[in-house]
């Protein structure tokens, strides 16, 4: 059987880069065009590019993820997070290929006690979350075969993420204050990549119906918990670490509101696919081991 041919968007980001690398390692034929040749704001050029490529599936990892910036530039957020997925889904219908799409925990408002299931009411409290929800709805309403993977608190060796920010601040400051009343699921980009390829195989083989799944590493944490974990590993590696202070969200105002609880339930994914993710400490510890060696 010939290798599946995948078009992957957003490879300059954490998840896109991870899934492209893993797909190549697993023997997929991967194409990851740069923005100059695959413009997410140009529906006509996207359609022409995909029609000429003979692809078996699209994995859309492109996103506007600057949560605070989205409050000031909502149009940019919606073009990437809502309009582009809608266009991709319509193209996928015409080509009869599945679309696998990455979404976010921020489609929830954070008022629930306990982990959010896929069936829970969505009610985003910031522009980023609202734009990602609009993209989900456009895909679900398009008639294409699709899998939407909601994930959270993405961490990788490279790129802009909380772990790398903490390591930088730890080297620059004697004291770092971190919010301790927002709960979520730190998640390795490498593990998300593995989950996306599980969904890709299932959709291309038509062994699963279209739907939404949650995938994160096991357990939950606050941002303070994650920072403490990072600095403990950094100290063990001989790096300078700061005094770490707990603060409330109210004492750290940002342009965009964040949900107090965005923990995601992963039972549905593990039951359907027999894929149980690592706990977050193991997964993020592996990322830190690579990062600290550098």
């Amino acid at each position: 059987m010939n290798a599946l041919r995948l078009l992957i968007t957003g490879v300059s980001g954490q998840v896109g880069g991870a899934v492209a690398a893993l797909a190549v390692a697993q023997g997929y034929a991967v194409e990851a065009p740069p923005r100059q040749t695959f413009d997410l704001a140009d529906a006509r050029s996207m359609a022409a590019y995909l029609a000429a490529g003979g692809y078996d599936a699209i994995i859309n990892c492109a996103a506007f993820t600057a949560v605070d910036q989205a409050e000031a530039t909502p149009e940019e957020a919606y073009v990437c997070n809502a309009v582009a997925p809608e266009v991709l889904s319509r193209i996928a219908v015409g080509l009869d290929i599945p679309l696998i799409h990455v979404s976010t925990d921020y489609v929830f408002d954070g008022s629930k006690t306990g982990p959010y299931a896929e069936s829970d009411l969505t009610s985003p409290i910031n522009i980023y979350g609202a734009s990602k929800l609009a993209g989900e709805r456009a895909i679900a309403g398009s008639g294409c075969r699709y899998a939407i993977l909601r994930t959270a608190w993405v961490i990788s060796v490279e790129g802009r993420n909380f772990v790398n920010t903490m390591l930088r601040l730890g080297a620059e400051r004697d004291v770092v204050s971190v919010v301790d009343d927002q709960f979520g699921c730190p998640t390795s980009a490498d593990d998300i990549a593995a989950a996306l390829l599980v969904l890709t195989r299932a959709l291309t083989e038509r062994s699963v119906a279209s739907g939404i799944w949650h995938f994160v590493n096991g357990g939950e944490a606050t941002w303070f918990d994650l920072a403490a974990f990072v600095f403990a590993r950094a100290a063990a590696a001989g790096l300078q670490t700061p005094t770490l202070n707990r603060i409330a969200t109210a004492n750290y105002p940002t342009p965009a509101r964040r949900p107090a609880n965005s923990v995601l339930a992963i039972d549905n994914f593990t039951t359907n696919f027999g894929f149980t993710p690592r706990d977050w400490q193991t997964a993020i510890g592996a990322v830190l081991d690579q990062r600290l060696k550098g």
Side-chain angles (χ1 to χ4, degrees), residues 172-220:
E172 296 172 352
R173 302 181 185 180
D174 295 325
V175 178
V176 172
S177 297
V178 179
V179 167
D180 195 34
D181 57 0
Q182 293 175 21
F183 291 83
C185 304
T187 305
S188 164
D190 289 336
D191 291 16
I192 299 168
L196 287 169
L197 291 179
V198 167
L199 287 172
T200 300
R201 287 191 292 272
L203 265 290
T204 54
E205 294 168 1
R206 299 178 185 263
S207 61
V208 68
S210 296
I212 297 174
W213 285 271
H214 290 174
F215 182 90
V216 287
N217 283 125
E220 63 182 64

Side-chain angles (χ1 to χ4, degrees), residues 72-84:
T73 58
E75 297 85 358
E76 290 183 47
Y78 271 87
V79 165
C80 191
N81 295 343
V83 177

Side-chain angles (χ1 to χ4, degrees), residues 36-48:
Q36 302 93 298
T37 55
F38 193 77
D39 185 353
L40 290 169
D42 187 338
R44 185 171 298 178
S45 70
M46 282 196 289

Side-chain angles (χ1 to χ4, degrees), residues 56-275:
D56 296 295
I58 304 164
I59 303 179
N60 182 37
C61 302
F64 186 105
T65 58
V67 177
D68 288 326
Q69 186 182 336
E71 298 296 308
T73 58
E75 297 85 358
E76 290 183 47
Y78 271 87
V79 165
C80 191
N81 295 343
V83 177
E86 179 180 12
V87 172
L88 287 172
S89 65
R90 286 193 272 107
I91 296 170
V93 171
L95 297 175
D96 191 25
I97 60 174
L99 172 63
I100 296 87
H101 176 75
V102 180
S103 193
T104 177
D105 54 334
Y106 278 22
V107 298
F108 299 111
D109 65 12
S111 62
K112 182 180 178 179
T113 300
Y116 278 94
E118 291 87 345
S119 58
D120 282 328
L121 178 69
T122 52
S123 182
I125 57 175
N126 55 46
I127 295 294
Y128 167 68
S131 66
K132 292 295 287 182
L133 180 59
E136 287 188 11
R137 289 175 171 169
I139 292 169
S142 70
C144 76
R145 281 184 287 140
Y146 70 90
I148 294 169
L149 188 74
R150 292 182 183 143
T151 191
W153 295 27
V154 181
I155 306 296
S156 64
V157 176
E158 303 293 339
R160 297 176 61 182
N161 60 60
F162 182 83
V163 165
N164 289 335
T165 296
M166 288 299 103
L167 291 172
R168 175 178 57 80
L169 292 179
E172 296 172 352
R173 302 181 185 180
D174 295 325
V175 178
V176 172
S177 297
V178 179
V179 167
D180 195 34
D181 57 0
Q182 293 175 21
F183 291 83
C185 304
T187 305
S188 164
D190 289 336
D191 291 16
I192 299 168
L196 287 169
L197 291 179
V198 167
L199 287 172
T200 300
R201 287 191 292 272
L203 265 290
T204 54
E205 294 168 1
R206 299 178 185 263
S207 61
V208 68
S210 296
I212 297 174
W213 285 271
H214 290 174
F215 182 90
V216 287
N217 283 125
E220 63 182 64
T222 66
W223 292 114
F224 178 90
D225 295 333
L226 181 53
F229 182 81
V230 170
F231 290 137
R233 287 294 185 105
L239 298 183
Q240 172 186 319
T241 57
T243 298
L244 186 59
N245 288 338
R246 304 172 189 267
I247 60 170
T249 298
N251 299 123
Y252 187 72
T254 55
R257 293 172 61 201
R258 267 71 169 177
N261 168 38
S262 62
V263 176
L264 299 179
I266 57 175
D267 314 70
N268 208 23
F269 191 93
T270 58
T271 298
N272 275 273
F273 303 107
F275 185 106

